[in-house]
Amino acid sequence: MGRGEIVGINQAIEATAKAAASETVLLLKTENLLKNKRNAFQKTEVLLYNYKKFKNIISEKDKQIKLIKRDGLPKKSKSITSWGGNTNQEPESDMEKMENKIAEIEKSIAVTRRLMEVIDAALEKIVNDPYYEMIEMFYFKGAGRDAIAEYFECDTVTVYRNKKRIVDMLKMDLFSDDAITEIFYS
């Protein structure tokens, strides 16, 4: 066997090992055996549970911007000095620091607003579902299954089944890549 053949065999073994490792990681992910990984359904529920909080976050960040514009940035203690760093760089003026902080907060607000737009668009697609209000009651208002069952004049199994059905529809809009992976690899 020549040197070229040995190199080719080694490359084939390496490629096979990489493919096997990738397939194993994908399998572990879809089986939820890797820590801190949620499936598409769980991610959708986390978004729904936190939807109202996102609105509050935007409001709080808007207040931060107003305070910074009114009062400036909080001052740091002058008794603490920093050592090292790039001494060739001009120090930022207070105005530049303030503008940078406001820009950072505005960027964060934009990301949160975009997320809310995506959630709103997904919710808009299911608004005509007869059990849509169940999602609002459960995730946004914190109502329990018994209260929802009483409201809809049905049993808790019907509540569970329809909540799951609607969240499954939402997950396809919100986490389609994850949902597809789960379908094919679970």
Side-chain angles (χ1 to χ4, degrees):
M1 196 178 296
R3 181 164 168 79
E5 290 174 322
I6 293 173
V7 170
I9 291 171
N10 285 340
Q11 288 174 342
I13 291 171
E14 188 177 317
T16 303
K18 284 182 180 178
S22 293
E23 189 68 27
T24 302
V25 168
L26 183 59
L27 180 63
L28 289 172
K29 284 181 179 178
T30 58
E31 295 297 325
N32 293 322
L33 297 176
L34 289 179
K35 291 184 179 185
N36 298 326
K37 293 292 179 185
R38 293 185 175 111
N39 63 31
F41 187 92
Q42 292 166 330
K43 290 178 183 178
T44 302
E45 284 198 308
V46 168
L47 284 180
L48 292 172
Y49 278 123
N50 289 294
Y51 182 78
K52 283 177 60 175
K53 291 178 186 172
F54 295 139
K55 287 185 177 183
N56 292 338
I57 287 169
I58 289 172
S59 175
E60 287 301 313
K61 289 185 179 191
D62 281 336
K63 288 178 187 174
Q64 278 182 331
I65 290 172
K66 287 177 184 170
L67 284 174
I68 291 171
K69 286 180 177 178
R70 188 187 75 200
D71 302 333
L73 291 172
K75 300 291 182 200
K76 293 182 181 177
S77 171
K78 301 240 184 217
S79 64
I80 300 174
T81 58
S82 65
W83 297 91
N86 188 349
T87 55
N88 295 334
Q89 203 173 12
E90 289 284 324
E92 281 185 310
S93 70
D94 286 344
M95 183 58 91
E96 288 172 326
K97 288 178 186 177
M98 195 169 79
E99 288 171 355
N100 289 339
K101 184 65 176 175
I102 289 172
E104 178 185 316
I105 295 169
E106 286 174 339
K107 183 178 178 184
S108 175
I109 290 172
V111 169
T112 305
R113 280 198 175 119
R114 177 65 187 127
L115 174 63
M116 290 187 67
E117 288 170 4
V118 170
I119 296 168
D120 288 339
L123 289 170
E124 186 65 33
K125 290 180 181 180
I126 62 159
V127 75
N128 292 325
D129 189 286
Y131 289 96
Y132 171 81
E133 205 173 351
M134 182 181 293
I135 297 300
E136 288 182 338
M137 292 173 73
F138 191 80
Y139 294 104
F140 305 157
K141 297 176 182 170
R145 285 194 179 105
D146 291 335
I148 295 171
E150 186 177 315
Y151 177 84
F152 280 97
E153 298 176 354
C154 64
D155 58 21
T156 56
V157 174
T158 302
V159 170
Y160 174 80
R161 185 181 66 248
N162 281 290
K163 180 183 81 67
K164 183 181 180 323
R165 178 183 58 79
I166 293 171
V167 172
D168 278 336
M169 291 183 336
L170 290 170
K171 84 176 183 185
M172 295 306 284
D173 278 334
L174 298 171
F175 299 102
S176 60
D177 291 347
D178 290 353
I180 290 168
T181 300
E182 290 167 16
I183 290 167
F184 283 108
Y185 293 101
S186 62

